[in-house]
Amino acid sequence: MSNIIAIVGRPNVGKSTFFNRLTESRMAIVDDEPGVTRDRNYGKSVWNGKEFSVIDTGGYVSGSEDVFEGEIRRQVNLAIGEADLILFLVDVEMGVTDLDQEVNNLLRKSKKPYMTVVNKVDNHKRALDANEFFNMGVEEIYCVSSINGLGTGDLLDEVVKHFPEPVEEPEESHIPVIAIVGRPNVGKSSTINTLIGEERHIVTEVAGTTRDSVAQRYTKFGYDFILIDTAGLRKKAKEKEDVEFYSVMRSVRTIENADVCIMMLDATRGVEAQDVSIFHLIHRNKKGVVVVVNKWDLVEKDNKTMKEFEAQIYEKFAPITDVPIVFSSAVTKQRVLKILEEAMRVYNNKTKHVPTSKLNELLQDALEGFSPPAYKGKYIKIKYVTQLPRYQTPCFAFFCNLPQYIKEPYKRYLENKIRATFDFTGVPIQLFFRQK
């Protein structure tokens, strides 16, 4: 089960800076001008071994104060509806405002758990000033500074307490979950209709026809898995209807709960920035992926077109290039069954376990071909490798004398050796180096 937290608050309290701090990224644009965040940002975070998604709900607001209040109210209501926990951000410099009070009242009336986070507390005086927010009737406040990270560790300790402990299902009872994702109007629903042989999913030329994630059991052609059609993930979240925001949040949650994602591209539009964002969202969640170039029948082709399109995909998705690519058409049914073949191949790769003896044979060959470079006159000796069990993606532990001195180029060298030998196409793998 995935966990989602949403950051809410009035404009210019530092939501985007706080989002960047939690996700350890610079995805959200930060400026002193209120209303800079026009897109909703989605990121991943992990604390104390628990992963969760973070959503910056700051929306673009303009006009009178009434418009401010209406937009903030809408954002909070959306967050209440979908998130597992709300982080209500306020600004110690401004103190309690009428808009803060209104947001707090909305949260109190809901049954959703929330935490009041006082931002910009970076000295003792401001820590005392933060006590003013107890006047809103909250039982607890958490003081942080988004810019320098002060207090975020203590806050996250409390945040992860709201999340249930992960429950591992027995492997034999697990049915693969395959989600079809992509931008709006790339042909996700059309592809599913072709696969199941029924016009079960509504298809129109209007982007965003699919509003919700629709799951169904697929048992044809010897396959048995759960197939999920998702709403298109938009670059700009200026969805004027509330239901659009629900759709995007559910699509993010679907990616988190899937085993393999079939990521669809539009052959007539090429690889766009939002395609790259979706691909990296899948990869950050450590999911298997198959890239499908739909509407291939609409492209004028010669004997180089396919290779040139593949090269464009690998260039845009670099440095991740070990992914299968299928060129298909939902209308003409070209290579549609190939999509399922590749998806199940990736799932099998994701659940594959390599015997330790085979891994150590590969390690021996790799060391003979290229030993780890010495660091400050110290020689690094890798003695042993094994695959770690019970991980959502293949993980390998290398035991050596000086793990801290093994650099990224050599890690990539070993990863490429593993991929070339054991076929982990479409699957992210992780390497860990430990003291022997």
Side-chain angles (χ1 to χ4, degrees):
M1 179 64 180
S2 61
N3 300 300
I4 294 180
I5 67 172
I7 305 169
V8 303
R10 60 179 176 78
N12 215 29
V13 293
K15 295 189 294 297
S16 294
T17 306
F18 188 53
F19 170 86
N20 288 343
R21 171 65 59 181
L22 294 186
T23 58
E24 298 181 343
S25 70
R26 293 185 178 180
M27 293 170 59
I29 298 172
V30 178
D31 195 272
D32 292 334
E33 182 71 22
V36 166
T37 303
R38 302 189 182 192
D39 299 340
R40 292 185 180 88
N41 293 301
Y42 305 85
K44 291 290 293 184
S45 186
V46 60
W47 191 259
N48 290 346
K50 291 185 179 180
E51 285 192 347
F52 53 92
S53 289
V54 185
I55 299 179
D56 177 10
T57 62
Y60 175 67
V61 289
S62 62
S64 67
E65 290 188 1
D66 291 338
V67 177
F68 271 125
E69 293 175 7
E71 178 68 15
I72 292 297
R73 188 182 303 111
R74 190 175 73 89
Q75 297 280 359
V76 173
N77 284 328
L78 289 171
I80 289 172
E82 284 296 309
D84 300 301
L85 175 67
I86 312 294
L87 296 184
F88 171 34
L89 205 66
V90 293
D91 182 354
V92 71
E93 292 181 342
M94 296 295 294
V96 179
T97 67
D98 292 340
L99 195 50
D100 288 329
Q101 190 67 61
E102 182 177 349
V103 175
N104 185 61
N105 290 338
L106 285 171
L107 291 171
R108 289 178 66 184
K109 291 176 183 177
S110 74
K111 296 182 180 180
K112 190 73 65 173
Y114 76 98
M115 301 167 63
T116 303
V117 182
V118 185
N119 192 24
K120 306 180 185 178
V121 180
D122 51 11
N123 58 50
H124 183 66
K125 180 182 182 303
R126 289 188 174 184
L128 294 175
D129 293 341
N131 291 323
E132 177 188 354
F133 290 93
F134 283 113
N135 294 331
M136 295 193 301
V138 298
E139 295 181 359
E140 189 78 41
I141 62 172
Y142 299 87
C143 297
V144 302
S145 173
S146 299
I147 292 179
N148 59 34
L150 188 67
T152 53
D154 293 336
L155 171 66
L156 289 174
D157 286 341
E158 294 299 319
V159 165
V160 297
K161 289 179 182 178
H162 289 79
F163 302 147
E165 293 295 330
V167 179
E168 291 189 7
E169 296 181 359
E171 287 190 15
E172 59 270 19
S173 66
H174 180 70
I175 299 175
V177 178
I178 298 176
I180 297 186
V181 301
R183 288 184 290 102
N185 211 29
V186 293
K188 299 184 293 296
S189 297
S190 298
T191 300
I192 288 187
N193 285 342
T194 302
L195 288 172
I196 64 179
E198 300 176 20
E199 297 297 321
R200 185 176 299 181
H201 295 250
I202 298 172
V203 176
T204 73
E205 294 296 326
V206 178
T209 299
T210 301
R211 295 293 199 181
D212 210 341
S213 298
V214 183
Q216 58 193 318
R217 190 81 170 258
Y218 189 91
T219 55
K220 293 185 177 182
F221 306 107
Y223 297 116
D224 185 11
F225 54 82
I226 303 296
L227 186 62
I228 304 178
D229 182 16
T230 63
L233 290 169
R234 298 177 181 274
K235 178 180 180 182
K236 292 182 184 275
K238 43 184 181 179
E239 304 101 7
K240 295 184 179 178
E241 300 175 58
D242 292 352
V243 70
E244 292 251 357
F245 185 35
Y246 284 122
S247 300
V248 175
M249 293 185 76
R250 286 170 183 157
S251 294
V252 172
R253 196 185 290 270
T254 299
I255 289 174
E256 293 180 344
N257 293 329
D259 295 305
V260 178
C261 293
I262 298 173
M263 182 186 165
M264 303 201 72
L265 307 177
D266 187 335
T268 63
R269 298 178 62 175
V271 184
E272 299 183 347
Q274 181 62 0
D275 297 319
V276 178
S277 298
I278 296 171
F279 180 83
H280 287 297
L281 176 64
I282 295 169
H283 196 265
R284 284 199 304 272
N285 279 279
K286 300 180 179 65
K287 304 302 178 183
V289 62
V290 177
V291 177
V292 176
V293 183
N294 193 31
K295 307 182 185 180
W296 192 239
D297 57 312
L298 301 180
V299 176
E300 294 185 8
K301 298 176 280 290
D302 57 30
N303 58 352
K304 296 181 180 179
T305 306
M306 188 175 290
K307 289 190 176 296
E308 289 173 352
F309 208 108
E310 283 184 350
Q312 180 189 3
I313 292 173
Y314 289 136
E315 180 185 356
K316 296 284 188 179
F317 293 168
I320 305 155
T321 57
D322 190 15
V323 294
I325 301 174
V326 180
F327 294 85
S328 73
S329 168
V331 174
T332 65
K333 301 183 180 180
Q334 181 185 21
R335 301 190 191 91
V336 171
L337 290 181
K338 179 71 172 176
I339 298 173
L340 297 185
E341 292 175 8
E342 291 296 332
M344 291 309 298
R345 174 191 167 204
V346 169
Y347 176 77
N348 291 332
N349 289 346
K350 191 170 184 287
T351 55
K352 180 189 300 182
H353 186 84
V354 181
T356 300
S357 59
K358 296 289 185 183
L359 284 172
N360 282 281
E361 288 176 10
L362 175 143
L363 176 63
Q364 189 64 35
D365 291 340
L367 291 175
E368 289 177 0
F370 178 30
S371 297
Y375 184 79
K376 294 183 178 179
K378 298 180 180 180
Y379 291 95
I380 302 168
K381 297 180 181 180
I382 303 177
K383 299 293 187 182
Y384 181 77
V385 60
T386 187
Q387 184 173 350
L388 301 175
R390 299 180 182 275
Y391 277 78
Q392 62 176 337
T393 188
C395 298
F396 302 91
F398 291 80
F399 296 89
C400 53
N401 60 336
L402 299 168
Q404 68 274 25
Y405 294 147
I406 297 179
K407 303 302 179 184
E408 283 301 320
Y410 197 77
K411 293 179 182 179
R412 288 195 296 270
Y413 166 71
L414 293 176
E415 178 179 340
N416 290 337
K417 281 285 187 182
I418 292 174
R419 287 187 177 278
T421 306
F422 300 112
D423 183 20
F424 283 102
T425 300
V427 180
I429 65 176
Q430 295 176 278
L431 308 185
F432 301 99
F433 294 84
R434 299 177 175 175
Q435 184 80 35
K436 186 175 182 305

